[in-house]
Amino acid sequence: MAIKKAPATREAKDQNSELATIRVPIEQYFSRMWKSWAICRQTYPFHFTKLDEDFPLLALLTNEVIQASEDDTLDETDAKYLAAHIQERKRYTQERACSSTRDIKERERIT
């Protein structure tokens, strides 16, 4: 059974609206970072102390990506990143399939 919340007051609605105007650009920025850099789409693979060095570089590079794409609309830019991401996933999947095939052949050769 779901817990019912009390209806939001006018002040709470105004505060949520104000926070949303701040939150949306931040979420868009981190979404762009996630789309642009594979290291952001996984658990950080290095020692946590390296994150202090890597994050500012990722932020700088993300700003460069955004600046370079200012001529495009946001939808066009997102479509380009999505297409690139799909192509990268296909390449990765094919490489894994080839790697699995090589592993199987190697095991057969050994036995």
Side-chain angles (χ1 to χ4, degrees):
M1 180 185 275
I3 299 173
K4 293 185 178 182
K5 296 181 181 179
T9 64
R10 184 70 185 151
E11 293 82 24
K13 288 181 181 180
D14 290 343
Q15 183 182 15
N16 285 340
S17 178
E18 185 178 329
L19 289 174
T21 60
I22 297 169
R23 188 182 305 119
V24 169
I26 293 170
E27 289 175 354
Q28 289 175 342
Y29 180 84
F30 282 100
S31 174
R32 182 65 52 88
M33 186 182 283
W34 183 84
K35 289 177 186 177
S36 299
W37 317 115
I39 195 168
C40 297
R41 294 188 294 269
Q42 61 190 7
T43 303
Y44 189 68
F46 307 112
H47 194 267
F48 70 92
T49 57
K50 298 294 271 175
L51 184 61
D52 288 337
E53 296 173 19
D54 291 342
F55 185 78
L57 294 173
L58 290 169
L60 176 68
L61 291 170
T62 301
N63 288 338
E64 291 296 321
V65 168
I66 291 170
Q67 188 174 20
S69 64
E70 283 181 347
D71 294 336
D72 295 337
T73 66
L74 187 59
D75 289 338
E76 291 170 342
T77 303
D78 285 346
K80 287 178 185 178
Y81 282 113
L82 180 60
H85 177 68
I86 290 170
Q87 185 177 10
E88 178 65 22
R89 291 300 302 165
K90 285 180 182 177
R91 185 187 63 75
Y92 176 76
T93 303
Q94 290 172 347
E95 286 178 1
R96 295 237 354 183
C98 290
S99 175
S100 296
T101 304
R102 283 192 299 268
D103 291 345
I104 291 169
K105 289 180 181 179
E106 182 66 24
R107 280 190 228 121
E108 289 173 352
R109 186 182 66 76
I110 292 172
T111 57

